[in-house]
Amino acid sequence: MASPQDVINMVKENDVKFVDFRFTDTRGKEQHVTVPVSAFDEDKFENGHAFDGSSIAGWKGIQASDMQLMPDASTAYIDPFFDETTLVLTCDVVDPTDGRGYDRDPRSIAKRAEAYLKSSGIGDMAYFGPEPEFFIFDSVEWSVDMSGCNLKIYSQEAAWTSGEKSDSGGGSGHRPTVKGGYFPVPPVDSLHDIRSAMVLTLESIGVPVEVHHHEVATAGQCEIGTLFSTLVKRADWTQILKYVVHNVAHQYGKTATFMPKPIVGDNGSGMHVHQSIWKDGKNLFAGNGYAGLSEMALFYIGGIIKHAKALNAITNPGTNSYKRLVPHFEAPVKLAYSAKNRSASIRIPHVASDKARRIETRFPDPIANPYLCFTALLMAGLDGIQNKLHPGDAADKNLYDLPPEEDAKIPTVCASLEQALDALDKDRDFLTRGGVFSNEWIDAYLELKMDEVNKVRMTTHPVEFDLYYSC
């Protein structure tokens, strides 16, 4: 692990001109502040960098705004996009009044979860492997004001452009059909080179990549698979992946989004999250039970199923999230587990060895704050283990095509963000154990997210004109 002195050496060896301190806000968006190298030395690792926390949505009020950014030396990398050589450091946010990680800082919450896992005696390490999907469009336009609202997505790869002319006078004819993007070779897959550039950039700054490919949807749905790691590190890498995807797309004159459901009538973007718990170098999810799982792993699944509706508020944190999570449209809405059935919300991947044994939670989506998402899933799973919450029998039938009487017996995830927030408000104790999340954080989060619910609720939608204008 890199030390502060290693970072100082890195600054000198690369002739660094600026140091960029980064942290993640509640909504999951990275923020940054930059200092010239003349204002950076080893003391920054001890004393931190002061900033105003009152300007971050859902954080401190103006009466108590002073916060400290404490850089983590192990996260250092050279930014691949800035003109001037800039070293990036991911930071924890510390409250200077007590020197502890701020209770609303997502990275500090994730660190507390790792500490709680160890203190519980259940395990000493939790591994996470997210699979965030995203779209790459040529451009996008939208407006919302008192006169109305509109949205337009432009993509030469989109199925809906087959009858449109390009700048050269005609279309190529090669494009993925609706649900036809998984995964034909170019020229139907027009984004191979952009994804390759993203992969090379990720690897150059220390994020190991395993695979990249076009995803199911038309109009540029993609996925880059990166290596699993421990909770905090894997959340750090997810933030870097999103940063790289956005900026490489921008360099190519395109635009990338991790919105769960940016287009109508085709697959949305999920973020399946693979998880396992280890102790003393042994995978505790490996056993002799269903699909090679241990009893502990089944209890972990039971915890996720029990708390799924509350989890939705964190794992699916936008109103747009629930345009993806719609029953009977191939979305992982059914709260069941299966080794074979991708329609279940929890899948057990087929693996070659016990070291790779894990579970895959399929309902999260990529606008989730990764620090909060992974932490909440871990806390739900630990509650399942501690209370021996067995999830019942596995579901090996196609859950999208059940008789109505069977379908009604299987619980589902939430149908709206408002429903998820209500569930979180009522089912929060599993998150606050060990001081991982605080009730104050949950209250502030509910308020922040209800503002989003109300903004969408009070905005007239074009579909409503379609439905009601002539009534």
Side-chain angles (χ1 to χ4, degrees):
M1 182 175 288
S3 67
Q5 184 57 53
D6 292 329
V7 175
I8 299 300
N9 294 339
M10 193 174 175
V11 167
K12 293 176 181 176
E13 290 166 5
N14 291 277
D15 193 22
V16 167
K17 297 294 192 292
F18 294 92
V19 176
D20 205 46
F21 299 118
R22 297 194 185 174
F23 65 100
T24 297
D25 67 15
T26 299
R27 288 194 174 106
K29 185 65 179 174
E30 270 196 305
Q31 311 287 338
H32 76 140
V33 60
T34 312
V35 299
V37 72
S38 58
F40 177 78
D41 56 28
E42 224 172 315
D43 286 346
K44 286 288 187 185
F45 293 96
E46 187 70 29
N47 300 320
H49 181 85
F51 78 105
D52 177 6
S54 68
S55 299
I56 306 301
W59 284 21
K60 287 224 171 188
I62 195 70
Q63 75 281 2
S65 60
D66 292 339
M67 306 295 288
Q68 296 289 122
L69 293 174
M70 301 301 295
D72 183 338
S74 69
T75 65
Y77 67 89
I78 302 298
D79 188 283
F81 302 108
F82 292 145
D83 290 338
E84 300 296 339
T85 307
T86 302
L87 183 135
V88 175
L89 287 165
T90 299
C91 300
D92 299 315
V93 180
V94 169
D95 190 330
T97 59
D98 57 16
R100 296 179 180 177
Y102 179 40
D103 77 331
R104 299 187 192 179
D105 168 38
R107 196 169 192 264
S108 295
I109 290 171
K111 283 190 165 183
R112 289 196 289 273
E114 289 188 318
Y116 175 67
L117 171 63
K118 292 178 181 178
S119 70
S120 72
I122 292 171
D124 52 36
M125 195 170 293
Y127 282 113
F128 286 80
E131 299 177 311
E133 297 165 340
F134 56 93
F135 281 86
I136 301 174
F137 300 135
D138 293 339
S139 63
V140 62
E141 298 172 0
W142 73 84
S143 67
V144 181
D145 58 33
M146 291 178 70
S147 69
C149 55
N150 68 280
L151 163 67
K152 181 67 175 177
I153 292 169
Y154 298 90
S155 170
Q156 280 298 308
E157 201 190 83
W160 65 78
T161 64
S162 59
E164 298 177 7
K165 290 184 178 181
S166 66
D167 294 339
S168 61
S172 70
H174 299 290
R175 52 179 54 82
T177 59
V178 173
K179 298 186 182 296
Y182 194 85
F183 27 65
V185 297
V188 176
D189 174 8
S190 67
L191 300 167
H192 177 91
D193 287 338
I194 296 180
R195 292 196 307 272
S196 292
M198 293 170 177
V199 168
L200 293 175
T201 302
L202 284 165
E203 292 192 321
S204 74
I205 56 180
V207 179
V209 178
E210 296 182 315
V211 66
H212 77 79
H213 58 85
H214 203 289
E215 259 298 342
V216 172
T218 189
Q221 191 182 36
C222 298
E223 183 178 320
I224 296 174
T226 48
L227 192 66
F228 70 92
S229 192
T230 52
L231 193 159
V232 173
K233 180 180 279 190
R234 186 52 265 195
D236 289 344
W237 285 354
T238 302
Q239 294 298 78
I240 293 172
L241 181 147
K242 295 176 86 167
Y243 178 70
V244 167
V245 165
H246 281 137
N247 281 279
V248 170
H250 189 71
Q251 286 182 328
Y252 274 78
K254 296 184 182 291
T255 178
T257 180
F258 289 86
M259 278 182 69
K261 195 71 171 178
I263 63 174
V264 179
D266 210 338
N267 283 38
S269 292
M271 184 175 70
H272 305 161
V273 182
H274 298 253
Q275 300 147 77
S276 60
I277 294 177
W278 291 58
K279 188 173 185 179
D280 298 327
K282 181 182 178 182
N283 184 0
L284 301 182
F285 277 17
N288 299 317
Y290 177 80
L293 292 180
S294 65
E295 187 177 51
M296 178 184 287
L298 291 172
F299 291 152
Y300 188 98
I301 291 171
I304 290 177
I305 290 176
K306 176 185 177 182
H307 298 295
K309 290 184 183 293
L311 287 172
N312 284 153
I314 296 171
T315 61
N316 307 90
T319 59
N320 186 251
S321 299
Y322 299 88
K323 290 178 169 59
R324 166 179 169 257
L325 295 177
V326 178
H328 309 298
F329 285 91
E330 299 185 21
V333 298
K334 290 295 185 180
L335 292 172
Y337 70 101
S338 176
K340 304 173 183 177
N341 191 347
R342 289 176 182 265
S343 62
S345 61
I346 299 174
R347 190 175 76 93
I348 319 305
H350 175 76
V351 296
S353 71
D354 282 347
K355 286 187 176 181
R357 195 74 58 197
R358 61 193 187 273
I359 72 154
E360 174 192 7
T361 306
R362 296 172 64 82
F363 55 77
D365 67 55
I367 61 167
N369 182 320
Y371 300 101
L372 303 179
C373 174
F374 304 161
T375 295
L377 288 168
L378 176 64
M379 296 300 288
L382 291 178
D383 182 64
I385 293 169
Q386 290 162 336
N387 291 291
K388 300 186 186 311
L389 302 175
H390 198 283
D393 294 336
D396 289 330
K397 294 181 180 179
N398 181 357
L399 299 179
Y400 301 141
D401 192 27
L402 291 176
E405 62 275 10
E406 287 187 45
D407 185 63
K409 294 177 182 178
I410 301 177
T412 65
V413 297
C414 289
S416 70
L417 179 57
E418 186 174 10
Q419 183 185 5
L421 295 174
D422 183 59
L424 174 60
D425 193 19
K426 294 173 180 175
D427 179 21
R428 58 168 72 190
D429 290 349
F430 75 98
L431 294 172
T432 60
R433 292 195 185 120
V436 176
F437 288 90
S438 68
N439 278 303
E440 291 75 19
W441 180 89
I442 294 173
D443 290 339
Y445 184 80
L446 294 172
E447 182 180 356
L448 183 70
K449 288 295 171 179
M450 273 306 299
D451 286 344
E452 297 176 19
V453 169
N454 288 328
K455 185 172 184 178
V456 173
R457 176 190 282 164
M458 293 188 295
T459 302
T460 304
H461 194 286
V463 171
E464 292 174 312
F465 279 77
D466 207 31
L467 292 172
Y468 310 123
Y469 192 80
S470 293
C471 289

